[in-house]
Structure formats: C-alpha cells, structure tokens
Amino acid sequence: MENNLRHLDSAFHALADPTRRAVIARLTAGAAPVKTLAEPFDMGLPSFLKHLRVLEDSGLILTEKSGRTRTCRLCASRLAETERWIANQRQLWEDHADRLANYIENQMSGEDTQ
Amino acid sequence: MENNLRHLDSAFHALADPTRRAVIARLTAGAAPVKTLAEPFDMGLPSFLKHLRVLEDSGLILTEKSGRTRTCRLCASRLAETERWIANQRQLWEDHADRLANYIENQMSGEDTQ
DNA sequence: TCGACAATTAGCTAAACGTCTATTTATGAG
DNA sequence: CTCATAAATAGACGTTTAGCTAATTGTCGA
C-alpha cells in the first residue's frame, strides 16, 4: 500500500474546484494542449496554469511538453485510487448497517419467544 | 438531477483533509457524539468543531443534538453521490480509450490490405 | 532572421483555511 | 441549587489559495 494520505489530500483538494473538475471531464475525451483546455474558462492563462499545476501535483493528470505546446492527459489510475477510498468507506458503512440490522432482527425474534 | 456543483465542491473539499477523512472512517463503524469523535485528535475542541461543521455543510455527515450531546452519523448517499462523479469520469475515459483502440485496430487492418 | 504564438515566471491582492485561547451557553446529576 | 460537563461562540493569527497584470522564455514558420 502506498503512502495514500498525501495522495488523497491533494487529489481531493484538486477535485474540490469546478474549473479543475471541468478539466478532468474534458480530458476524458482525450488529451489536449494547455491552450485548448484553457479556452472555455473566463480566466487568465497564468491563473489557469495554476489549476493545471494543482491537477498535475495531485497526479490526476500527466503532462508532457513537446516543442512549445504542453499536452495534458488524464491519469485514470490516480482517479481510481481516489474513487476506491470512498467506495471502501461506503462498504464499511454498509457492512456495519447489515450487522446492525441482523442484530436488531435477532433481538426482536428473541423477544417473541420470551 | 440536483445542483451537484456546490455539493461536489463542498464534498471534495471536506474530504481533502486527513482529520475529516478520519472522522468519516470512524463513522462507518456507527454514530458517535462529538466528544468521542474528537478524542483521537491532538487538537482543541473548537478546531475540531470547525471540521465537523465542514463535514456537515458538505452533507457527508448528519448531526442531531439531544440534551447536551450532539450525535453524528454518516450520510452514505452523499458519499455515494461523490463517488459516482469520479466513477462517471472514469467510465467516460474508458469508453474513449476503447473507441481509440478500435480505431487503431481498424486502421492497422486497413493498412494490411492496402 | 524575425515576428507570432504557447507557455511560464514573478509578484501583487483579497479571501478562505486551520489552528489557537478565552469565554459562554445549555443540560444533566448530586 | 449548584456544579461539572458537552458543546458552541468570538476573535486573533499565520498560511494557503485563486485570481490578477506585467514581463519573459522558448519554438515554429514565413
């Protein structure tokens, strides 16, 4: 198991911004250069670059510079890792809810026979 | 479909902190009062209460005050909603990757017959 | 070579965040 | 009634964030 704590901190932080989530959503349709990604947003390029940096630091995207353009692509494995943390908590919660339901059911049938 | 944007903003932001994730993890084992939840953390109660407030504002937990104790419990549906956003992006990305693979395969078999 | 263009850096500001201490409110128990 | 306890509020303080403008770097194409 990796040192997930830092990963999760930065991944969740990266996802907590609508601009950055929109970039993720755009990248599901394939890699794109910075300028194309920045186009839809009413924001200066330096500001947008900071968002990209946050995404890259979180590992949710990978970028590669070729010539004067930088191409960005999604890193599905980091996305999956983040999803898995939530899924895991939900599973734990469901297990608990199941045990609780069983316990209550047993208590009630016990009362019937008392 | 609800107004998910604000939800996602605040849910992801809430999850981007190790203390708050630890609270979520603890609550998968069942509801608990504030004092019990705060116990493991090396932090003043007012600071901890701010974390709880962030979690509650995000909808990831629900709280209810009875007498002088406030009981906190997980809200699995909001957790699920957040997970679903990530799962959805991953799905879109996989669909794209599949189409791309098919395209490449078709191109290559086309070249064979040329 | 020179100009246009993609990206980057530097540095400023306002707001939000996470922590603290001190104080206050509300309630349960003796 | 009074006191201990659970929670909450107020407010200060340093750090990080998200945006901006201005200036710079590096590369492509005519």
Side-chain angles (χ1 to χ4, degrees):
Chain A
M1 190 88 61
E2 316 99 58
N3 180 7
N4 274 342
L5 290 182
R6 302 284 168 81
H7 283 181
L8 291 171
D9 279 4
S10 60
F12 281 127
H13 172 244
L15 292 173
D17 179 282
T19 298
R20 293 193 290 255
R21 285 199 306 279
V23 170
I24 297 280
R26 164 64 184 79
L27 289 179
T28 61
V34 170
K35 198 201 174 197
T36 305
L37 290 174
E39 199 74 49
F41 302 102
D42 184 20
M43 177 187 304
L45 193 59
S47 307
F48 184 76
L49 277 173
K50 287 195 184 179
H51 286 298
L52 278 191
R53 175 65 63 98
V54 170
L55 283 168
E56 188 170 15
D57 286 350
S58 77
L60 289 169
I61 72 171
L62 300 171
T63 80
E64 193 183 1
K65 189 152 187 179
S66 164
R68 64 180 165 179
T69 76
R70 176 176 296 277
T71 301
C72 307
R73 69 188 65 255
L74 208 57
C75 179
S77 64
R78 179 56 53 87
L79 206 54
E81 187 182 307
T82 308
E83 182 187 347
R84 210 174 306 126
W85 185 88
I86 304 184
N88 200 242
Q89 304 309 312
R90 279 217 305 136
Q91 186 63 58
L92 289 170
W93 187 87
E94 278 173 25
D95 291 350
H96 168 77
D98 286 351
R99 279 197 305 278
L100 191 60
N102 284 339
Y103 173 77
I104 289 169
E105 194 168 330
N106 289 342
Q107 285 299 102
M108 288 179 67
S109 59
E111 281 176 15
D112 285 350
T113 61
Q114 265 175 5
Chain B
M1 191 87 62
E2 316 98 55
N3 180 9
N4 274 345
L5 289 183
R6 303 285 168 83
H7 282 182
L8 291 171
D9 279 5
S10 60
F12 280 127
H13 171 242
L15 293 173
D17 179 281
T19 297
R20 293 191 294 254
R21 284 198 308 278
V23 170
I24 296 280
R26 164 64 185 79
L27 289 178
T28 60
V34 171
K35 200 201 174 199
T36 303
L37 290 175
E39 200 74 49
F41 301 103
D42 184 20
M43 177 187 304
L45 194 60
S47 306
F48 184 75
L49 279 173
K50 286 195 185 179
H51 285 299
L52 278 191
R53 176 64 63 98
V54 170
L55 283 168
E56 187 169 17
D57 287 350
S58 76
L60 289 169
I61 72 171
L62 300 170
T63 80
E64 192 183 0
K65 188 152 187 178
S66 164
R68 63 182 165 176
T69 75
R70 178 175 296 278
T71 301
C72 307
R73 67 187 67 256
L74 208 58
C75 179
S77 65
R78 179 56 55 84
L79 206 55
E81 188 182 305
T82 308
E83 182 187 348
R84 210 174 305 127
W85 185 89
I86 304 184
N88 201 242
Q89 304 309 312
R90 281 216 304 137
Q91 186 62 57
L92 289 170
W93 186 84
E94 279 173 25
D95 291 351
H96 168 77
D98 287 350
R99 279 197 305 278
L100 191 62
N102 284 339
Y103 173 77
I104 289 169
E105 194 168 331
N106 290 341
Q107 287 297 105
M108 287 180 68
S109 59
E111 279 176 16
D112 285 350
T113 61
Q114 263 177 6

